[in-house]
């Protein structure tokens, strides 16, 4: 762990942590497949560094940074088209005839192209769309419908290899609750939420002791064959013979 003052930006420490992890524990770091974090770590540069340099998929929530009530942006800003996306990366199609907005059907991430692939929802789901012929005009598409590929470089903050609007992203993001339980223990059980500690050195000493207690209790449970109580600080220990 690394203690910082509250004014230190989360994403700055996130980048330092990942670099340190790979420098100090490369054999373990190469097995890391994803990094889950809250919106305090929302950054296009951080997302790009994670995936491009370390092969780690960012599973990070987005902040709302668009201004003036902007709900969507055009997929290609300098071209008149029916495709738009929102700040979470959901790509949608606006029917040119009715104005109905439908989410494009997600077809997965193309690793070799570093693009997210989407397909016309009317063609993929068998929906009736008044403007489909107009949308496909001039394109050899047929019954498969229009396909669009969104490069990650369109906006590295918004578009990630694991699209945020998918169930796989939501399921991965739920795993973050494991570390939230650790934070809750530090704040509640060890009393750091309402502390009276003054001075950086004193705080570093106290948090070091607290984390050592946490780890030593877990180690004791393992040695006593109580793996199912690995996280417990209050469950009774067996009486010595």
């Amino acid at each position: 762990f690394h203690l910082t003052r509250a004014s230190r930006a989360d994403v700055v420490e996130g980048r330092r942590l990942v670099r340190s992890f790979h420098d100090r524990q490369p054999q373990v770091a190469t097995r890391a497949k994803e990094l889950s974090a809250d919106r305090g770590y929302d950054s296009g540069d951080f997302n790009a560094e994670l995936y491009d340099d370390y092969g780690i998929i960012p599973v990070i929530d987005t902040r709302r940074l668009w201004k003036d009530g902007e709900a969507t942006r055009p997929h290609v800003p300098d071209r008149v088209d029916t495709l738009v996306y929102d700040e979470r990366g959901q790509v949608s199609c606006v029917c040119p005839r009715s104005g109905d907005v439908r989410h494009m059907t997600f077809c997965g991430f193309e690793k070799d192209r570093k693009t997210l692939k989407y397909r016309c929802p009317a063609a993929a789901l068998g929906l009736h769309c008044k403007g489909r012929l107009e949308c496909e005009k001039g394109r050899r598409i047929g019954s498969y419908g229009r396909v669009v590929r969104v490069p990650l470089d369109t906006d590295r903050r918004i578009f990630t290899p694991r699209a945020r609007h998918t169930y796989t992203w939501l399921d991965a993001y739920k795993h973050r609750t494991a570390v939230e339980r650790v934070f809750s223990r530090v704040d509640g059980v060890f009393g750091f939420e309402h502390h009276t500690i003054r001075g950086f050195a004193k705080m570093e000493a106290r948090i070091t002791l607290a984390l050592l207690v946490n780890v030593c209790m877990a180690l004791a449970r393992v040695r006593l064959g109580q793996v199912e109580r690995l996280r417990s600080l209050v469950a009774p220990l067996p009486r010595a013979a």
Side-chain angles (χ1 to χ4, degrees), residues 118-133:
Y118 292 87
R119 183 184 171 197
C120 168
L125 304 176
L127 304 175
H128 175 68
C129 178
K130 295 179 180 180
R132 181 177 173 184
L133 291 179

Side-chain angles (χ1 to χ4, degrees), residues 4-69:
T4 69
R5 301 189 184 281
S7 57
R8 185 75 165 175
D10 288 348
V11 70
V12 172
E13 283 304 304
R15 298 177 79 169
R16 185 205 63 78
L17 177 66
V18 172
R19 292 168 183 170
S20 174
F21 183 42
H22 275 261
D23 290 341
R24 297 174 63 182
Q25 302 183 60
Q27 291 181 330
V28 178
T30 53
R31 289 156 43 196
K33 301 301 180 184
E34 62 187 39
L35 183 145
S36 180
D38 62 26
R39 63 188 60 179
Y41 296 83
D42 178 27
S43 164
D45 290 340
F46 188 36
N47 288 347
E49 181 177 337
L50 284 171
Y51 187 70
D52 296 348
D53 296 348
Y54 303 110
I56 296 175
I57 296 175
V59 184
I60 301 172
D61 200 6
T62 54
R63 295 173 290 166
R64 303 297 177 262
L65 299 180
W66 290 359
K67 305 298 182 182
D68 303 323

Side-chain angles (χ1 to χ4, degrees), residues 36-109:
S36 180
D38 62 26
R39 63 188 60 179
Y41 296 83
D42 178 27
S43 164
D45 290 340
F46 188 36
N47 288 347
E49 181 177 337
L50 284 171
Y51 187 70
D52 296 348
D53 296 348
Y54 303 110
I56 296 175
I57 296 175
V59 184
I60 301 172
D61 200 6
T62 54
R63 295 173 290 166
R64 303 297 177 262
L65 299 180
W66 290 359
K67 305 298 182 182
D68 303 323
E70 189 178 16
T72 61
R73 289 180 176 177
H75 168 233
V76 182
D78 57 354
R79 185 178 71 195
V80 177
D81 203 351
T82 60
L83 301 178
V84 297
Y85 64 90
D86 63 21
E87 202 165 5
R88 289 183 60 80
Q90 175 69 68
V91 179
S92 303
C93 178
V94 182
C95 177
R97 296 290 299 277
S98 66
D100 293 338
V101 179
R102 294 190 177 97
H103 295 330
M104 295 286 284
T105 300
F106 183 57
C107 299
F109 175 63

